[in-house]
Amino acid sequence: PVLVVCFSFIASRMKYADMKAEEEEMDVVLLRWEYTSYMFGFASVLCLVWFLIPVSRHSILLVAMGWSPIHALRIHIWAGYLSFIYMLLHALILVVLWFTIYEYPVWKQIIPAKQCWKWHPDNKFIEPPCNHVYWNWTGLVATFFFTILWATSLDWVRRRNYRLFYWSHIICGTMMLLTTILHMRFYALYLLPSSTYYLASTMPTLIQALASRFRGGVKITKVTAVPDSGGCVEVLVETN
């Protein structure tokens, strides 16, 4: 569905690229590839629109839809993988353009100039324009965090070092979403609803766990290794 939505705009985007190239005397090939890259970037964000909802704790939507937690987890995994693939295509096209068509050195296209760090930089006298460099810089940082998130989500890593998988999800996932919003601010309209739903579903559980910790936590009475289970253990806790 995501590809259907994005590719339905190909004809209109190509036409717009041709019109813009003619009006502003720009390279039509460059603009066509740029808009193709933008469509892949938008497809990546569309996958992120709802990928947090299936893994929200105590999600009322899962109950309403009749989804099992295992089914919901698969939706989350595939939404993340598809988003990463579209993001990678978006980035690779732009990287090729940086090296082959753009007239500026690559480092100038990804590292903002000193003048760009002012509150109100004057783009008329800065080349390449500050907005152009900001988009590339924040996109590069988002790609970095997303790549770590993807790599630590692989089955081989998750099954051998779950703690690494868990903390990379929390840290890199948060940073990836924040830098994606900084990359294109209007993406917040697509990402904030699912993020807000995730926080609203998860925070009560976290607050309850924090309160339980201050009350002394839960007492573990016995821990037993389960034979031939690959390192699994049986934990018994004291209940009231």
Side-chain angles (χ1 to χ4, degrees):
V2 173
L3 282 177
V4 171
V5 171
C6 291
F7 281 109
S8 64
F9 290 97
I10 285 183
S12 61
R13 291 291 87 190
M14 295 300 101
K15 183 178 180 180
Y16 180 76
D18 294 344
M19 293 174 56
K20 185 176 180 180
E22 183 178 355
E23 291 175 359
E24 302 185 12
E25 298 182 354
M26 300 178 65
D27 188 338
V28 65
V29 176
L30 170 63
L31 287 178
R32 285 189 170 192
W33 277 112
E34 277 187 344
Y35 283 117
T36 301
S37 171
Y38 298 157
M39 283 189 292
F40 282 121
F42 187 63
S44 177
V45 172
L46 285 181
C47 292
L48 295 178
V49 167
W50 45 276
F51 91 124
L52 280 176
I53 294 178
V55 292
S56 300
R57 296 182 182 179
H58 308 292
S59 174
I60 192 173
L61 285 180
L62 298 187
V63 178
M65 299 293 291
W67 290 347
S68 69
I70 296 176
H71 183 197
L73 182 61
R74 299 309 301 176
I75 295 175
H76 169 78
I77 292 173
W78 279 106
Y81 282 165
L82 288 175
S83 178
F84 180 77
I85 292 172
Y86 296 142
M87 178 278 300
L88 201 59
L89 291 172
H90 166 68
L92 289 176
I93 293 174
L94 288 181
V95 168
V96 172
L97 295 180
W98 292 348
F99 281 95
T100 59
I101 296 184
Y102 286 129
E103 58 184 358
Y104 310 108
V106 174
W107 67 270
K108 280 192 174 183
Q109 299 180 59
I110 59 177
I111 301 178
K114 182 179 179 181
Q115 301 89 329
C116 292
W117 295 105
K118 298 179 181 179
W119 281 108
H120 301 287
D122 191 350
N123 280 312
K124 294 181 180 179
F125 303 100
I126 303 175
E127 293 292 339
C130 291
N131 287 341
H132 173 83
V133 184
Y134 284 147
W135 294 332
N136 292 340
W137 168 246
T138 53
L140 189 64
V141 175
T143 300
F144 171 76
F145 285 114
F146 205 170
T147 302
I148 296 178
L149 184 65
W150 166 79
T152 55
S153 299
L154 298 174
D155 286 343
W156 186 89
V157 178
R158 186 174 69 251
R159 293 180 182 276
R160 287 166 176 75
N161 196 332
Y162 186 82
R163 178 171 294 182
L164 174 63
F165 159 78
Y166 179 79
W167 283 108
S168 67
H169 250 59
I170 294 177
I171 298 173
C172 294
T174 301
M175 294 303 299
M176 182 270 291
L177 291 176
L178 290 177
T179 49
T180 298
I181 293 175
L182 292 175
H183 180 54
M184 289 290 168
R185 288 176 293 179
F186 74 91
Y187 283 167
L189 298 175
Y190 297 90
L191 299 177
L192 287 180
S194 64
S195 301
T196 303
Y197 178 83
Y198 177 83
L199 292 175
S201 300
T202 305
M203 287 306 294
T205 304
L206 295 179
I207 293 174
Q208 183 183 25
L210 185 63
S212 175
R213 182 179 181 87
F214 279 104
R215 290 195 295 264
V218 178
K219 183 180 180 181
I220 298 176
T221 59
K222 185 178 180 182
V223 178
T224 306
V226 179
D228 302 324
S229 63
C232 295
V233 295
E234 179 184 10
V235 179
L236 299 181
V237 298
E238 188 178 71
T239 59
N240 295 327

